[in-house]
Amino acid sequence: MTLLEIALIFSLMSVISVGGLPAVMGEVQRIVVEQKAWVTAPEFVQLYAVGQAAPGPNVLIVSLIGWKVAGLVGALVALLAMITPAAIMTYWVSDVWDRFKDTAWRGVAQRAMAPLVVGLVGAGGFVLATPGSPDWRMWLIAALSACGMLFLQKLNPLWFLAAGGALGAVLL
Amino acid sequence: MSVTPPRSLVELFTGFLSIGARSFGGVLPWAYRVMVEERRWITVEDFTQTMGLCQFLPGPNVGNAAIVYGKRWFGVRGAVVAALGLFALPFTWVVALGAIYSDYASNPTLRAVVTGIGAAGAGFFIATAIKLARPLARKPAALVIIAGCFISVGIGRVSLAYVLPVAIAAALITSRMGRL
């Protein structure tokens, strides 16, 4: 029954996760911590941090929750539930999008989206660097790594992450 | 810039595998790097527009991009293969990390290192936003919309349920007026 619950809850989250995980993060926390009591609030925060320290889309935190509740199978079920409904919607919508390739409204809509994306990606970076109250040490690490990405393009960005980890050990 | 889509499902899979494998701290910058800069599958404009579409669909943005491009090049099989490639290694990683971390979660140094890696990953998002903003720099209406989204979502922590309808309406109107 727990597996079924995991599947149902995260399928629903998948459908309403417009723009990705951040949109439903609060709701996931409410259900998983307060309603189901699968993990405690401090555990939830730690799982999120571990999810951030792994590569890949941040929806992977749901597989950590599934893993806590029902082991490896729980982890797989949670991830599949979180990505499949959204993937099916995307599959269908991108079809419609391609069909209207040469219409005027599609050009208007595409130009409209560009600044929204820039603003939301920037906001994502800000939120990631500001987990609690503003902390200059977090911002410094983020700013250094951003400058690295912009001005040292030949260098493998993994070095900036390693440097961030080292600075974290010293500063935080 | 001339671009060539992947020629086989294997090429598609390994491309998304390499995005997933290296995408510490955020997938978007790596999706850009692999698809636009390294493999030259798509143009910058294509990337921005597809990510724009994916931003308004439910689901992880780059996961959706895997579906869109996989489908464009190889249909259903492509969509499934691209998504599997993207998620395979990160899933393994995250479960392994979760298991290890639950053993050492009380160590403060480990927590500081993990947090530092997260902050550096945040810097990648900011650098990507700056790269994507360059073509828009001379359009005042675009800068206002960028600032509005950044302040409301990033600083105000307002739900996208309120921000998106307003921002989309404002962007569509200014775009229709030829200001974007």
Side-chain angles (χ1 to χ4, degrees), chain B residues 103-143:
Chain B
D103 285 347
Y104 297 96
S106 54
N107 185 322
T109 310
L110 181 64
R111 273 210 298 265
V113 170
V114 167
T115 311
I117 291 173
F124 291 5
F125 274 72
I126 293 171
T128 302
I130 292 171
K131 282 184 194 176
L132 294 177
R134 279 176 187 154
L136 305 172
R138 288 165 190 278
K139 297 172 180 168
L143 296 180

Side-chain angles (χ1 to χ4, degrees), chain A residues 56-57 83, chain B residues 9-23 27 62-63 66 77-92:
Chain A
I83 57 182
Chain B
L9 283 171
V10 174
E11 210 181 318
L12 181 71
F13 182 78
T14 56
F16 275 96
L17 197 70
S18 88
I19 294 173
R22 296 187 289 171
S23 58
V27 193
V62 179
R77 284 182 311 158
V80 172
V81 162
L84 278 179
L86 180 66
F87 281 100
L89 294 177
F91 175 78
T92 314

Side-chain angles (χ1 to χ4, degrees), chain A:
Chain A
M1 278 322 281
T2 311
L3 283 178
L4 190 65
E5 271 186 313
I6 293 173
L8 285 175
I9 288 168
F10 289 123
S11 298
L12 184 63
M13 292 299 111
S14 178
V15 173
I16 60 172
S17 66
V18 174
L21 182 73
V24 294
M25 198 63 184
E27 186 68 3
V28 170
Q29 205 266 7
R30 194 180 64 78
I31 293 174
V32 168
V33 175
E34 291 174 23
Q35 213 171 47
K36 296 288 169 193
W38 282 339
V39 299
T40 65
E43 271 176 339
F44 188 86
V45 175
Q46 283 164 23
L47 290 181
Y48 183 63
V50 171
Q52 294 287 3
N58 57 7
V59 292
L60 281 157
I61 188 198
V62 304
S63 50
L64 282 174
I65 295 164
W67 172 73
K68 272 270 183 206
V69 179
L72 195 57
V73 181
L76 260 180
V77 168
L79 182 62
L80 285 177
M82 191 69 201
I83 57 182
T84 308
I88 291 169
M89 285 179 72
T90 300
Y91 193 90
W92 179 78
V93 170
S94 69
D95 207 30
V96 176
W97 198 244
D98 274 346
R99 205 177 308 147
F100 293 103
K101 205 172 195 163
D102 301 316
T103 57
W105 69 263
R106 204 190 107 155
V108 168
Q110 281 184 333
R111 281 190 299 278
M113 280 174 181
L116 296 185
V117 175
V118 171
L120 292 176
V121 170
F126 179 82
V127 169
L128 206 55
T130 319
S133 50
D135 183 337
W136 67 268
R137 299 169 301 177
M138 295 286 284
W139 288 3
L140 177 70
I141 296 172
L144 288 175
S145 133
C147 290
M149 278 298 269
L150 288 172
F151 301 115
L152 302 170
Q153 295 196 9
K154 293 259 161 69
L155 214 59
N156 187 325
L158 287 178
W159 288 109
F160 306 136
L161 291 176
L167 273 174
V170 175
L171 293 174
L172 297 171

